[in-house]
Amino acid sequence: MADRFLLAAVMGWPISQSRSPMLHNFWFARHGLKGSYVPLAIPPERLEAALRALPALNFSGCNLTIPLKQKAMAIVDEVDITARTIGAISCVVVKEDGRLAGVNNDWYGFVHNVLEFVPDWRADAGPAVVIGAGGGARAVVYGLIARGAREIRLCNRTFERAQGLAEAFGDAVRVVRWDDRHAALDGAAMLVNTTSQGMVGQPPLDLRLDKLPTTALVNDIVYIPRETPLLAAARVRGNRIVTGLGMLLHQGVPAWQAWFGVTPQVTAELRAAIEATL
Ligand SMILES: NC(=O)c1ccc[n+]([C@@H]2O[C@H](COP(=O)([O-])OP(=O)(O)OC[C@H]3O[C@@H](n4cnc5c(N)ncnc54)[C@H](OP(=O)(O)O)[C@@H]3O)[C@@H](O)[C@H]2O)c1
């Protein structure tokens, strides 16, 4: 591998906001590897041509971001059971014969980010409340169930979308009406925001925390800003918080293992370098 120039990419539309190039190019430098990770602005109608070009261009693979994660499922040659369950591909791996394999590492990023902040975290410690039912929520619910969660209260503005998610994930997921989201926090051991609310340019998530036990862990998968209004409010009332950037950082680890056979580390230095740009 020492003589090979390693290549990977992130495809999205738009793509300029992505912190992935900074993450992966940090790891190339840290491992002393010759390589590059490039942001590619790919509109959905060009995704198939872009993915099919990867083997000829010597790319080991790519990540996918909004709005391409679902569409890629119908393009790649194989989709593993995890990505199929989550319903989205976050990472494409170019196999030796040029075939494209789709996997989803977002759930891994969610779980390992929480474990980095709270090493003794147990998803089966009590009910988890998940706000939102989009692609991020599906990865979070998958991760919670993989870690043994027995009760997930799922609450989304559009009720039917939450119902669809619950049907895919089985009995552990209980759908809660949007109007009941404040009360759903009663007795919860964990709260995760997976909506885009609280992201820069968006209003804060409209959620009253008064019913949430102060022992509950609060995570927001939104990472711009570093600390969302939800996390700030939770911290002030004494809850332990887990910021969202680490979900992005940790999902890169299995991607590197699959692309390059290397296990990179999520270090404080890496986190600080990327947080400085948020
Ligand atoms: N940290 C990470 O690595 C990571 C990974 C994935 C995603 N994310 C972040 O997570 C967020 C969601 O991403 P996604 O891929 O799941 O998006 P998505 O599939 O488009 O889902 C968006 C979610 O936000 C909800 N929502 C949007 N506007 C709302 C509003 N005004 N009030 C209440 N709910 C609202 C949607 O509810 P409806 O169904 O009612 O529209 C839906 O549940 C984004 O900010 C993204 O950057 C972070």
Side-chain angles (χ1 to χ4, degrees), residues 3 5 34 56 133 180 219 231 234 238 248:
D3 292 337
F5 192 84
K34 286 180 283 179
D180 298 331
N219 172 221
L231 290 179
L248 175 74

Side-chain angles (χ1 to χ4, degrees), residues 66 132-137 156-158 161 178 194-197 199 221-223 244 247-248:
I66 291 173
N156 191 50
R157 180 182 60 172
T158 307
R161 202 171 179 191
W178 185 244
T194 72
T195 74
S196 48
Q197 301 295 277
M199 200 166 115
I221 73 166
V222 169
Y223 62 89
M247 179 171 170
L248 175 74

Side-chain angles (χ1 to χ4, degrees), residues 85-166:
T85 306
I86 293 173
I89 291 174
S90 69
C91 175
V92 173
V93 181
V94 177
K95 315 251 301 209
E96 276 184 15
D97 60 2
R99 286 167 59 82
L100 303 176
V103 298
N104 190 305
N105 298 326
D106 286 343
W107 75 275
Y108 175 99
F110 161 70
V111 164
H112 287 268
N113 182 40
V114 176
L115 286 171
E116 185 188 335
F117 279 79
V118 186
D120 62 351
W121 170 58
R122 291 192 56 131
D124 61 354
V129 178
V130 175
I131 311 288
R138 295 180 76 95
V140 165
V141 167
Y142 185 95
L144 287 169
I145 291 174
R147 298 294 295 193
R150 285 181 296 225
E151 183 186 344
I152 299 169
R153 302 172 186 166
L154 181 71
C155 187
N156 191 50
R157 180 182 60 172
T158 307
F159 185 74
E160 295 70 25
R161 202 171 179 191
Q163 274 183 316
L165 193 158

Side-chain angles (χ1 to χ4, degrees), residues 5-44:
F5 192 84
L6 304 176
L7 282 165
V10 57
M11 297 184 188
W13 185 255
I15 199 62
S16 56
Q17 80 295 343
S18 175
R19 298 309 195 272
S20 290
M22 197 177 175
L23 161 65
H24 294 274
N25 288 318
F26 179 99
W27 280 337
F28 281 129
R30 173 50 44 97
H31 287 271
L33 292 169
K34 286 180 283 179
S36 188
Y37 183 102
V38 292
L40 299 175
I42 307 292

Side-chain angles (χ1 to χ4, degrees), residues 191-213:
L191 164 65
V192 187
N193 174 48
T194 72
T195 74
S196 48
Q197 301 295 277
M199 200 166 115
V200 66
Q202 298 284 335
L205 179 68
D206 178 11
L207 183 64
R208 288 196 306 272
L209 298 183
D210 43 303
K211 290 270 193 306
L212 185 72

